[in-house]
Amino acid sequence: MSNDGVIAVERALSVLDCFKPGAEHLSLADFATRLPLHKTTIFRLLNSLARCGYVVREPSGSYGLGPRVLYLARVYERGFDLSAVVLPVLEHLSAQTGESAAYYVEGGEPGQRLCLFRHQPHEGLHSQVIAGSVMPPDLSSTGRVFAIWAQGKPRGDERLPLFSCGARDPYTSSWSIPILGSDDRFVGALTIAGPSARLKTVNVAQFEALVVQHAQELSARLGASSDMREALYG
């Protein structure tokens, strides 16, 4: 069976993708500047989307998202399982690096972070942080991610992923990177950690590329825009 898809459907979805925060109402000319399609084609696609309730034409002649989009968002929201999105990414990253992979979210107090999910290989010595642990502010790579993206502290010229060695305890090193969600908001941090003695021997460029790759994937699954993902992760 072919996986080529249907071009007309992909074009219609590309029309919907033109709507973004700050661009909630678009004219036909606005669509034409955003899409590699002729105005006539865009107009026909908009008419089809309007008949199905995915866009509405306003009295001004501009277009906005229709009620069917909200309905689908509610269906998605009710069926959304964060663990089903995050855990496969952690498992894959852990398998590729041989180290513990964790996903952190903000804790109850400013600067705190909660280890929401964690995966580690079955063999070898690994970081002993467990899911459910609440960590105070510190200078570890994960702590710095939350200081910068959750509390607004200056980032400086550090490139992603952030790295730390011996910041939380003298024997552990880690790489950490921010994760974005819907509306391109900061939602958490993806971290790999392990014994400093072992991580000193790894291919650093390869590890960092794997962390960035999995952050890209996880942010995409959580709803971050392609533009923001490109800007943040490169």
Side-chain angles (χ1 to χ4, degrees), residues 6-232:
V6 180
I7 292 176
V9 174
E10 293 174 0
R11 286 178 172 176
L13 292 174
S14 72
V15 170
L16 293 178
D17 280 341
C18 289
F19 294 103
K20 290 177 172 56
E24 295 89 355
H25 308 280
L26 300 172
S27 66
L28 184 59
D30 292 329
F31 285 108
T33 62
R34 290 166 166 80
L35 296 168
L37 301 172
H38 193 275
K39 274 188 178 182
T40 303
T41 301
I42 298 170
F43 183 68
R44 290 202 302 267
L45 290 169
L46 285 166
N47 283 341
S48 294
L49 290 167
R51 282 195 296 271
C52 295
Y54 289 96
V55 301
V56 291
R57 187 172 186 183
E58 299 161 347
S60 65
S62 294
Y63 294 85
L65 289 172
R68 189 67 183 171
V69 176
L70 178 60
Y71 170 76
L72 291 180
R74 292 286 184 254
V75 173
Y76 174 79
E77 189 176 58
R78 293 182 70 173
F80 182 73
D81 180 356
L82 183 61
S83 65
V85 175
V86 176
L87 284 175
V89 175
L90 298 185
E91 291 168 5
H92 193 247
L93 179 57
S94 181
Q96 289 197 302
T97 61
E99 302 298 340
S100 300
Y103 179 71
Y104 291 85
V105 297
E106 290 187 81
E109 300 293 331
Q112 283 186 344
R113 61 190 186 275
L114 166 69
C115 180
L116 191 60
F117 303 113
R118 185 172 180 274
H119 185 274
Q120 72 175 40
H122 297 298
E123 299 179 357
L125 181 65
H126 299 284
S127 168
Q128 295 305 303
V129 175
I130 62 174
S133 299
V134 177
M135 318 294 288
D138 57 31
L139 295 177
S140 67
S141 62
T142 315
R144 299 204 317 275
V145 165
F146 279 89
I148 295 168
W149 277 274
Q151 296 184 283
K153 294 186 178 179
R155 174 179 171 183
D157 57 0
E158 286 187 285
R159 63 185 179 86
L160 295 177
L162 304 184
F163 176 76
S164 64
C165 178
R168 195 177 65 81
D169 70 62
Y171 308 108
T172 302
S173 294
S174 64
W175 283 273
S176 190
I177 192 166
I179 299 299
L180 305 178
S182 59
D183 296 329
D184 295 327
R185 294 176 181 171
F186 171 72
V187 293
L190 175 65
T191 300
I192 57 170
S196 297
R198 186 167 65 227
L199 290 182
K200 287 179 181 177
T201 67
V202 303
N203 183 324
V204 171
Q206 182 182 34
F207 261 55
E208 292 183 343
L210 285 169
V211 174
V212 172
Q213 173 191 329
H214 286 77
Q216 277 262 29
E217 178 185 347
L218 183 52
S219 290
R221 291 186 181 189
L222 292 175
S225 70
S226 58
D227 289 344
M228 184 57 74
R229 285 185 278 120
E230 177 64 26
L232 184 60

